[in-house]
Amino acid sequence: MTTPTKPRSNYARGRDLEHRVRNHLREQGYEVLRTAGSKSKVDLVALKSGQMLFVQCKRSGALPPAEWNGLWDLAQMVGAVPVLAEQLARGRRYWRLTARKDQPGKRQPMAELKLDELAGVQWPEREAVTRS
């Protein structure tokens, strides 16, 4: 006789997705920081030489406008790439947010992102801050 299993919570399934995305990004050479349980605009910060990704993980592949715009605005403020990681039946897909989501019901402004595409991107140089 088998013991009935308790259904997994949405939190547990979301956490598992974050872990899978984190592990995949690490395999791709990123240093990844997870903001566990913080309810912040960013689930993962992925860093690689000259690259900074702000990743929000969603099993559904959809972000409500307030979360979308919060992620977009924060990424724009610091020069990061805003990324939505979507759970697929097998694996995951990454989307680059391409604009704010200001019109409800419209298609999400995003483009599929392949991590190896980022390797050739020229990132803007930041001015060095000097202290007097």
Side-chain angles (χ1 to χ4, degrees):
M1 184 170 156
T2 60
T3 306
T5 58
K6 184 175 162 183
R8 295 184 39 109
S9 69
N10 285 335
Y11 174 81
R13 289 192 300 254
R15 180 194 62 223
D16 291 348
L17 173 59
E18 290 174 13
H19 287 188
R20 286 190 298 275
V21 170
R22 178 197 63 195
N23 293 342
H24 180 248
L25 290 170
R26 285 181 175 165
E27 289 169 4
Q28 301 301 309
Y30 288 89
E31 182 65 35
V32 183
L33 308 169
R34 181 171 171 257
T35 60
S38 67
K39 303 291 184 196
S40 75
K41 296 171 178 94
V42 178
D43 290 327
L44 304 169
V45 176
L47 305 169
K48 198 175 195 179
S49 181
Q51 299 178 28
M52 180 172 26
L53 310 180
F54 283 177
V55 183
Q56 182 63 247
C57 301
K58 291 291 183 188
R59 290 177 24 245
S60 66
L63 277 174
E67 288 183 52
W68 182 286
N69 292 335
L71 176 60
W72 172 263
D73 292 343
L74 183 60
Q76 293 301 301
M77 183 173 62
V78 299
V81 177
V83 176
L84 172 61
E86 172 187 21
Q87 177 66 54
L88 301 175
R90 293 193 184 272
R92 72 216 51 82
R93 182 180 304 155
Y94 298 101
W95 298 96
R96 176 195 293 254
L97 281 58
T98 58
R100 287 179 58 84
K101 189 176 184 181
D102 291 329
Q103 295 182 334
K106 284 224 151 194
R107 189 168 184 268
Q108 298 186 123
M110 61 188 188
E112 188 167 358
L113 173 68
K114 303 286 186 202
L115 294 175
D116 56 353
E117 293 172 359
L118 292 175
V121 173
Q122 291 295 323
W123 299 94
E125 294 291 326
R126 297 223 178 249
E127 286 185 32
V129 177
T130 57
R131 297 187 187 258
S132 36

